[in-house]
Amino acid sequence: MADRNKTRSKIYERLNNPELRCKTGCGFYGNPAWRGYCSVCYREVYLKQQRARAASHSREDALAGGSQNLQTEVAHEEEEAGKLKFNKFEEKKKFQLESKKQSVKKLFKKSPGRSSLPDGIPAANFTLSPVEPQKSATSFREFLKTLKKPAAQDVNDKCKLFVQRILNNPSLKVEEQSEMAMSEHLQSHQLFQNQPQEVIDRTLDGVEKYIMTKLYRVVFCPASTDDEATDLANQKRMRSFNWITPQHLDAAINPDSDKVQQLIEDAQQDLVEINTKRAPQDKLACVVRCCKNIYKIIHLSTPAGGAVSADDFLPCLIYIVLKANPTMLHSNVQYISRFCNPNKLVMGEAGYYFTNLCCALSFIEKLDAQALSMSQEEFNRNMYGDESDGTRAKPNLKQNPLSHSNLEVLGTLRERQVKLKEDALVLQEQMTEFRNNIVKEVDAILAGVTSKGDKYLKSTLTTM
Amino acid sequence: MATASRKNQFKVVLLGEGCVGKTSLMLRYVQDKFNDKHLTTLQASFLNKRLNLDGQRVNIAIWDTAGQERFHALGPIYYRDSNGAILVYDITDEDSFCKVKNWVKELKKMLGEDIALCIAGNKIDLEKDRHVDASEAEAYAKTVGAKHFHTSAKLNKGIEEMFFELSKKMLERQEKNDAKVPRDGMVERGTNRRKNVVIVDEQPQRQGGGGCCGGGS
């Protein structure tokens, strides 16, 4: 018993030995095969070396002694654990590669107290990674080409850093993230002080697009908020409002005209598309397109013509939103208001349409009998379907030929499904029959064989 | 710097009951048109206007709002972050003037003194049907620190002056705010923006909560 305790404590001693841990101090165990790093850290170090080598190859004349330098650095790294080395290494490389000094260093220094992990990663990111296979990266590079060279490099580096920083801090709250996004905007401003407004706007757009596309998965509809629940509730609510007609909202829509019908569908399509885009400004563009279509709808529906005022516009937008019932509208709205360039949201035309969309959503969220100027009983009747289904379904079909054709398709699909099932059952029967037959045959043969064998046995036995 | 050139950009919301002539005022001001069937622009709910104020270039974005009673609760979403508001009433409709009073109360509550206010008594071409006492309206405007204007979109009266006055007020306010901001203006603006974002976050949610109760009853 005592012996066992002893060995156990020995094992603990060994396990707690700091030399066994990863050299970067990340807390995991290292391995001699990975030069004392844990698997994750080793991969980073390895990748970094690879990239650094590739970079130094491509800039051979610029970095005559570069690779040598690198190798000694790496050798150092193997002996000494640590962040310090990483920093030194990074700075050296930066000195060689960068004309502008401010950006990365500044950003880097501004984030003390981050976990130890990001310390290594910026270095890995430092070279313009030429092997990024992603679509967003290519489009971003296209965009960078339009910028002047040192500036482009700066922007690129900073974006990558920023993306990494957020990805490495998954615990951050949404508000903090949007805060960081905002400060990123500001820092870009500082950099381009001497450039004309247009260039700055374009740069900001590009940066925003890139960053948000990269971070989309993390920051869209984050788990820390109840966006998802709201989405579901909203969707359900909108579905229960399928009985609402333009007349209920006093929306100036003439549903009889084919042209209007087409435009309504276009507008709905635009709303649905919001969810398929990633960058905030692309989402906004969808909203704008939808609103332009709505203007056309109202224009066509009012015979007198004239300009479209907000009095006409908002009811129509609400109607379109209700009909389209776009998925995750609430999340999208939240996402845009959190991460879109605030200047755009406050001032521009897109901001106006977005605000109207917010209004529409908010209106729908608390839509009640009073808002539709009908009695509570009538409202309830419509809401909870006391009316016979037939009377309700018909006008719906009339209004929306698309859903009608969809229903037809669904019907035929169902028929075919049923037939398929029947066929499958027949096939199953046949198969069981076939199996039974086989079993019978085999049994019969076996019986024959054994009886023969018995005879044979008997005969042999008797002869013996 | 980007923020510098965006300095003289203002957002102005038009508030008022339906059919008091908000859109007409706006169209008259920006395009000098009234009830014209041959409008070049389809939409008239968001318009930009540039003007020159004492040598300063000012750009104002005018936001029309839906005035129907059922959309009244959406007001805060429209007027957040706005620098100025024009409250329009119809001089032939006393009710619309009461609505203006409501709007003023609400604006003061939500935005405090951050917003420049103008009150417009519209449709003075219908003077013979006047139901709102002019002196009473002016006195009221004075008590809430707003300027009162008698306007007519049809006759193009008082509109230019009103927007001019409002722009001047907004510019003054901006200068006052800039003076308050310490040298580290960059940081200050950053926090301002952040605040905006938070407001954006909270507004719909708060209303959504109210809506659920309303819908359930």
Side-chain angles (χ1 to χ4, degrees):
Chain A
M1 205 53 186
D3 262 9
R4 214 190 233 175
N5 268 343
K6 232 183 197 171
T7 50
R8 190 172 273 180
S9 69
K10 248 187 197 167
I11 288 173
Y12 274 123
E13 222 170 82
R14 263 173 64 192
L15 281 178
N16 285 329
N17 186 353
E19 279 179 18
L20 280 176
R21 308 254 169 175
C22 169
K23 277 206 261 174
T24 54
C26 66
F28 288 95
Y29 289 102
N31 188 324
W34 294 321
R35 288 193 249 151
Y37 293 107
C38 71
S39 60
V40 175
C41 293
Y42 176 70
R43 225 182 113 227
E44 265 153 29
V45 170
Y46 180 74
L47 273 177
K48 192 189 66 192
Q49 283 176 17
Q50 288 277 310
R51 281 189 203 173
R53 251 174 230 146
S56 69
H57 267 296
S58 64
R59 294 187 185 80
E60 256 171 325
D61 43 1
L63 317 160
S67 54
Q68 224 179 357
N69 223 336
L70 275 175
Q71 248 126 53
T72 50
E73 278 302 332
V74 172
H76 269 292
E77 263 169 43
E78 281 172 22
E79 285 158 28
E80 271 182 77
K83 295 191 220 166
L84 254 174
K85 270 295 150 193
F86 275 105
N87 273 337
K88 208 173 154 194
F89 170 75
E90 180 197 341
E91 268 168 35
K92 221 174 214 166
K93 277 224 72 183
K94 181 157 90 183
F95 189 72
Q96 291 163 339
L97 287 176
E98 281 251 307
S99 51
K100 284 195 181 185
K101 282 182 190 168
Q102 352 152 278
S103 66
V104 180
K105 209 166 158 191
K106 217 165 69 197
L107 252 179
F108 203 49
K109 289 212 167 129
K110 265 187 189 157
S111 57
R114 303 248 175 245
S115 65
S116 61
L117 204 59
D119 275 327
I121 285 166
N125 253 313
F126 202 73
T127 50
L128 278 165
S129 75
V131 283
E132 194 88 64
Q134 282 185 23
K135 226 196 202 164
S136 66
T138 37
S139 73
F140 186 58
R141 268 207 299 280
E142 294 279 297
F143 153 73
L144 281 178
K145 272 183 204 156
T146 61
L147 291 174
K148 282 181 194 157
K149 241 203 158 171
Q153 174 124 23
D154 239 26
V155 170
N156 189 4
D157 289 347
K158 280 176 65 178
C159 286
K160 293 224 161 114
L161 260 176
F162 180 75
V163 170
Q164 284 294 344
R165 235 167 55 201
I166 287 204
L167 285 180
N168 283 322
N169 291 286
S171 53
L172 280 183
K173 281 203 188 111
V174 192
E175 278 71 30
E176 288 170 35
Q177 284 173 348
S178 73
E179 233 170 74
M180 281 169 88
M182 296 310 136
S183 69
E184 177 73 5
H185 283 308
L186 275 182
Q187 271 157 0
S188 307
H189 276 276
Q190 282 171 338
L191 250 177
F192 291 91
Q193 278 178 18
N194 313 320
Q195 308 233 12
Q197 181 72 41
E198 212 181 296
V199 179
I200 296 173
D201 281 347
R202 217 157 34 85
T203 315
L204 273 183
D205 271 4
V207 168
E208 185 181 290
K209 196 166 185 168
Y210 173 74
I211 289 181
M212 295 326 293
T213 313
K214 278 252 167 184
L215 294 177
Y216 190 71
R217 224 160 20 94
V218 188
V219 296
F220 180 75
C221 187
S224 58
T225 63
D226 52 1
D227 286 354
E228 199 176 348
T230 319
D231 276 332
L232 287 177
N234 276 350
Q235 206 153 9
K236 217 170 146 193
R237 198 168 161 75
M238 284 192 216
R239 206 175 305 141
S240 68
F241 283 129
N242 66 350
W243 47 272
I244 285 181
T245 62
Q247 285 79 38
H248 285 122
L249 295 161
D250 293 329
I253 296 177
N254 176 14
D256 297 332
S257 154
D258 286 346
K259 244 185 189 170
V260 171
Q261 210 49 258
Q262 183 58 43
L263 280 169
I264 290 177
E265 266 165 40
D266 286 351
Q268 290 181 13
Q269 191 60 39
D270 291 331
L271 276 182
V272 172
E273 244 169 57
I274 294 175
N275 199 36
T276 63
K277 300 280 193 267
R278 284 192 155 200
Q281 63 256 60
D282 291 344
K283 284 180 190 284
L284 263 188
C286 290
V287 177
V288 172
R289 267 208 313 277
C290 167
C291 291
K292 299 265 173 196
N293 277 329
I294 289 176
Y295 280 123
K296 282 186 209 151
I297 292 170
I298 300 173
H299 201 68
L300 283 174
S301 302
T302 44
V308 176
S309 71
D311 287 353
D312 302 325
F313 175 74
L314 188 60
C316 192
L317 178 65
I318 292 171
Y319 176 73
I320 297 290
V321 172
L322 272 177
K323 283 288 147 197
N325 195 359
T327 41
M328 310 185 91
L329 183 63
H330 174 80
S331 287
N332 279 303
V333 164
Q334 290 289 317
Y335 172 78
I336 293 173
S337 55
R338 274 176 199 142
F339 297 107
C340 197
N341 185 349
N343 265 326
K344 233 189 241 169
L345 282 189
V346 175
M347 297 312 283
E349 196 175 10
Y352 178 72
Y353 295 141
F354 178 69
T355 304
N356 269 305
L357 184 65
C358 290
C359 285
L361 192 60
S362 158
F363 181 79
I364 291 168
E365 272 172 10
K366 56 181 168 180
L367 187 56
D368 56 13
Q370 209 189 346
L372 293 172
S373 42
M374 57 168 60
S375 69
Q376 189 66 45
E377 293 89 54
E378 199 181 346
F379 181 78
N380 286 345
R381 206 166 50 227
N382 282 318
M383 249 336 230
Y384 307 113
D386 287 354
E387 262 176 309
S388 64
D389 264 8
T391 50
R392 257 177 61 206
K394 264 176 202 160
N396 270 346
L397 287 183
K398 205 169 153 195
Q399 267 170 30
N400 202 341
L402 188 72
S403 75
H404 187 62
S405 62
N406 278 348
L407 273 180
E408 271 176 11
V409 172
L410 277 177
T412 48
L413 267 181
R414 212 188 125 186
E415 273 170 29
R416 282 163 68 179
Q417 188 85 31
V418 169
K419 193 160 185 299
L420 186 70
K421 205 179 161 191
E422 278 171 9
D423 287 351
L425 278 176
V426 172
L427 187 67
Q428 199 186 4
E429 257 172 44
Q430 282 175 356
M431 277 167 76
T432 38
E433 206 179 314
F434 183 66
R435 209 195 75 176
N436 287 342
N437 284 344
I438 295 272
V439 169
K440 261 185 214 160
E441 271 178 46
V442 170
D443 279 349
I445 291 168
L446 275 179
V449 166
T450 41
S451 57
K452 263 185 199 164
D454 277 354
K455 272 178 198 162
Y456 178 71
L457 266 176
K458 271 177 195 161
S459 61
T460 44
L461 274 175
T462 44
T463 48
M464 276 191 46
Chain B
M1 207 158 63
T3 37
S5 63
R6 289 214 169 96
K7 212 171 83 181
N8 291 343
Q9 287 213 351
F10 298 116
K11 170 180 158 184
V12 174
V13 284
L14 283 169
L15 298 169
E17 209 188 344
C19 303
V20 294
K22 297 186 294 292
T23 316
S24 301
L25 275 181
M26 183 166 152
L27 265 179
R28 175 59 97 181
Y29 179 59
V30 180
Q31 300 188 340
D32 199 15
K33 279 177 179 154
F34 180 76
N35 227 353
D36 195 334
K37 278 180 192 166
H38 307 288
L39 281 166
T40 43
T41 43
L42 222 53
Q43 59 103 351
S45 46
F46 173 87
L47 292 172
N48 270 312
K49 174 86 177 176
R50 276 178 202 183
L51 65 162
N52 218 317
L53 249 177
D54 305 328
Q56 290 207 68
R57 276 174 61 188
V58 177
N59 193 353
I60 53 178
I62 310 171
W63 291 32
D64 193 8
T65 62
Q68 292 97 316
E69 181 55 35
R70 64 171 67 154
F71 300 130
H72 183 91
L74 305 177
I77 307 179
Y78 277 120
Y79 59 64
R80 72 177 162 218
D81 300 328
S82 55
N83 308 88
I86 295 178
L87 302 130
V88 191
Y89 70 90
D90 180 350
I91 61 160
T92 66
D93 180 3
E94 211 178 334
D95 211 34
S96 68
F97 185 61
C98 293
K99 285 275 159 53
V100 164
K101 287 183 181 171
N102 283 341
W103 279 115
V104 171
K105 253 186 243 157
E106 216 183 295
L107 282 170
K108 293 264 173 198
K109 207 171 97 194
M110 305 291 287
L111 298 173
E113 298 299 318
D114 286 344
I115 188 163
L117 297 180
C118 274
I119 297 178
N122 197 26
K123 304 193 187 176
I124 52 168
D125 46 296
L126 302 172
E127 187 65 45
K128 58 179 175 13
D129 291 327
R130 180 183 270 281
H131 276 93
V132 180
D133 189 44
S135 53
E136 187 201 322
E138 273 169 25
Y140 170 74
K142 216 167 198 177
T143 60
V144 294
K147 264 232 146 155
H148 189 281
F149 290 88
H150 300 281
T151 60
S152 165
K154 191 172 177 185
L155 305 176
N156 195 6
K157 271 190 184 158
I159 299 170
E160 200 84 28
E161 291 90 327
M162 179 173 65
F163 278 96
F164 190 78
E165 189 66 33
L166 186 71
S167 309
K168 235 162 61 184
K169 260 181 158 181
M170 292 190 293
L171 211 60
E172 273 167 28
R173 244 164 245 265
Q174 178 185 273
E175 272 156 20
K176 234 191 330 193
N177 278 342
D178 277 2
K180 261 191 258 166
V181 173
R183 254 180 304 165
D184 207 3
M186 213 63 207
V187 175
E188 192 65 28
R189 271 199 197 106
T191 53
N192 275 345
R193 283 177 182 192
R194 204 179 303 150
K195 209 171 80 196
N196 292 348
V197 173
V198 173
I199 291 172
V200 170
D201 271 0
E202 281 171 353
Q203 207 70 59
Q205 277 169 11
R206 187 179 60 81
Q207 296 199 333
C212 290
C213 302
S217 64

